[in-house]
Amino acid sequence: MGCAISGLGLAPKKATEAVSEEEEEEEEVHLSSEHITMIKESWKVIQEDIAKVGIIVFVRLFETHPECKDVFFLFRDVEDLERLRTSKEIRAHGLRVMSFIEKSVARLDQLDRLDSLAVELGRSHYRYCAPPKYYGYVGTEFICAVRPILKDKWTSELEKAWKTMFQYVSQLMRQGYNEAEEETKRSNSVGSSRERPDKRNTAL
Ligand code: HEM
């Protein structure tokens, strides 16, 4: 069941190598044209199994990081993760996330369009109360889920390419999340009627 990859650089750090959230934010993530080509080629294969990949990613995410399950109103009380594999809701949610990945892959040649999409997604995750510290886990689980699908087409360079893409998207999501958080703080501090939505996630 385990999947040994090194993570997206967002895994918890040992005390000696601790970096602040700001430092993580400033790390430059560069998507090379070689990486973009590799991602696009591999996506053609992954695409055929997106429903399956979406389910695997979220069931594994909840197994490895149960605290993420608590963010989902519909899943937080589900104890038996095996039952989730056949749930319509997890399939639908997985497909929404995969369709975002699909759009991201399609925008890799126009990064400004990808940037705005991912920042907006981060803003919506502020409303869902899903904080940036968890975003890297999704990329890790995605890589574990697609590796067996790509079989011998999987290479360490392709892994690096997908890791970089998820780092890129996660950073922009973090930016959107932080912006939305700041705006809410500002509007609350001036006594505006705009308030942060209820802590409970009501999106599901
Ligand atoms: C790279 C990381 C992630 C991506 C690309 C992603 C993508 C998405 C997308 C496309 C949606 C559909 C709604 C929308 O477009 O706003 C969504 C919804 C949601 N996500 Fe994420 N997500 C990520 C990480 C996470 C994590 C780690 C959590 C929880 C800890 C989370 C919690 C939620 C919740 C609660 C919803 C709302 C429920 C729903 O509409 O299905 N997300 N996410």
Side-chain angles (χ1 to χ4, degrees), residues 61 68 71-72 93 96-97 100-101 121 124-125 128 130 134-135 138 166 169-170 173 201 203-204:
L61 177 71
C68 290
V71 177
F72 291 85
H93 179 71
R96 276 198 288 276
V97 176
F100 173 84
I101 306 295
L121 187 65
S124 60
H125 280 66
Y128 305 148
Y134 300 139
Y135 302 161
V138 174
F166 272 96
V169 166
S170 298
M173 285 178 69
N201 160 41
L204 277 174

Side-chain angles (χ1 to χ4, degrees), residues 34-35 43 56 75 84 86 98-99 110 116 118 147 182 191-192 203:
E34 289 80 9
H35 280 169
W43 181 255
I56 296 173
F75 308 134
L84 264 191
T86 51
M98 288 305 118
S99 124
Q110 300 154 285
S116 51
R147 196 157 55 179
E182 279 308 313
S192 153

Side-chain angles (χ1 to χ4, degrees), residues 126-142:
Y126 175 69
R127 294 194 296 275
Y128 305 148
C129 298
K133 63 181 175 188
Y134 300 139
Y135 302 161
Y137 304 151
V138 174
T140 303
E141 298 311 339
F142 175 86

